[in-house]
Amino acid sequence: MNAAKRYEIFRRLHEDNPNPETELAYSTPFELLIAVILSAQATDVGVNKATAKLYPVANTPEAIHALGVDGLSEYIKTIGLYNSKAKNVIETCRILVEKHDSQVPDNREDLEALPGVGRKTANVVLNTAFRQPAMAVDTHIFRVSNRTGIAPGKNVLEVEKKLLKFVPKEFLLDAHHWLILHGRYVCVARKPRCGACRIEDLCEYKAKTSDD
């Protein structure tokens, strides 16, 4: 795919949604961090239901740590893998209090040192909370990048590096949100809704569907 096509794709995505946002509910970088940790192999809707009950009770590292693993588990038990996630969150809260003055780090190294935080989670926090040009490649973004031809790659890291290289600079900060929403609602896994797609004429996918 050439640069002109990529530019027009992101220009249209921007035109349709000038200020895209994550669908995870949060009001502070810490709330976002915890929500993203909980969202692994879970839906944003499911995470939001749990945090809607948790955050009014505890939404700081000190407060969540005070709940302990058992106490936190009661709030997040509707989420998949909640036992291991509860342990990770409690340990993450301890580290934030002891090493980071209860603040979420704004750099990759310190974020990835937190339990339950991998490269993708760190990228979400860096991009969404701190507005850094990071690209969190999940299954939706991986699929859209390969299917459309925007940034094809054999693995997540390859796609991430290509997106950072190929997405026009003026659109880079919001590209993560546009691509994830496009994959979630239009360029879906089993049968993409090509007939309802804003970028169908620019997309290089060979097996386009005829209806929406």
Side-chain angles (χ1 to χ4, degrees), residues 8-28:
E8 179 60 15
I9 283 172
F10 286 101
R11 188 199 68 76
R12 291 184 193 178
L13 294 175
H14 171 268
E15 183 177 67
D16 289 354
N17 186 5
N19 299 295
E21 296 179 345
T22 177
E23 293 187 318
L24 288 170
Y26 76 98
S27 58
T28 65

Side-chain angles (χ1 to χ4, degrees), residues 11-146:
R11 188 199 68 76
R12 291 184 193 178
L13 294 175
H14 171 268
E15 183 177 67
D16 289 354
N17 186 5
N19 299 295
E21 296 179 345
T22 177
E23 293 187 318
L24 288 170
Y26 76 98
S27 58
T28 65
F30 175 72
E31 288 186 359
L32 176 66
L33 172 64
I34 300 307
V36 179
I37 292 174
L38 296 177
S39 72
Q41 296 179 47
T43 66
D44 288 359
V45 172
V47 172
N48 289 342
K49 284 181 180 176
T51 56
K53 295 175 182 175
L54 171 65
Y55 288 160
V57 176
N59 70 340
T60 65
E62 292 89 347
I64 289 183
H65 187 264
L67 292 174
V69 172
D70 291 341
L72 176 59
S73 293
E74 283 300 307
Y75 288 96
I76 66 170
K77 61 187 178 184
T78 53
I79 299 173
L81 309 173
Y82 75 91
N83 274 322
S84 61
K85 288 177 182 178
K87 292 173 185 173
N88 284 336
V89 168
I90 293 300
E91 182 63 9
T92 283
C93 289
R94 182 189 67 78
I95 294 170
L96 290 177
V97 171
E98 293 181 1
K99 293 187 177 180
H100 300 289
D101 297 321
S102 299
Q103 298 300 306
V104 176
D106 62 357
N107 67 87
R108 179 183 304 284
E109 185 179 2
D110 286 339
L111 281 170
E112 289 189 15
L114 298 170
V117 178
R119 185 177 183 88
K120 185 174 74 174
T121 298
N123 282 341
V124 172
V125 174
L126 291 171
N127 178 253
T128 305
F130 299 114
R131 301 301 284 157
Q132 295 180 22
M135 190 67 64
V137 179
D138 69 349
T139 54
H140 297 299
I141 293 179
F142 185 79
R143 179 177 66 254
V144 170
S145 297
N146 275 287

